[in-house]
Amino acid sequence: MTLKDHTLNFEHEYIFVPSTKEKLKKNKHSILSNIALAVVGYKVGDIIHWPFKDGERKIEIVKVEAWEG
């Protein structure tokens, strides 16, 4: 999934995996992470305002792809 953070002005690709397979150095984030929970139920083009630890951020879903691994 590619997300654009309008608050911090960057775009990043995230791979959401079960918590036991999380490996941040390989860009694999837990499905229970803040960013994963923020985008559950949304689709490409949606913009979400979500309260992260460092304050509310505006996140846009840019692209969603199935991951097999």
Side-chain angles (χ1 to χ4, degrees):
M1 174 176 279
T2 303
L3 302 175
K4 180 172 185 176
D5 186 321
H6 290 276
T7 305
L8 301 178
N9 197 30
F10 76 92
E11 198 168 290
H12 187 72
E13 183 177 331
Y14 295 86
I15 300 167
F16 298 126
V17 297
S19 296
T20 58
K21 298 194 183 259
E22 181 178 62
K23 292 185 175 135
L24 298 179
K25 289 184 180 181
K26 293 188 176 187
N27 201 31
K28 295 179 181 179
H29 299 262
S30 167
I31 193 66
L32 299 176
S33 66
N34 281 338
I35 192 68
L37 294 174
V39 299
V40 168
Y42 292 97
K43 64 185 183 312
V44 171
D46 285 349
I47 295 177
I48 304 124
H49 295 270
W50 191 262
F52 288 89
K53 288 186 230 178
D54 56 350
E56 185 173 291
R57 288 166 42 193
K58 181 179 172 184
I59 307 292
E60 179 180 357
I61 300 175
V62 177
K63 182 170 63 171
V64 177
E65 297 178 51
W67 179 74
E68 297 177 26

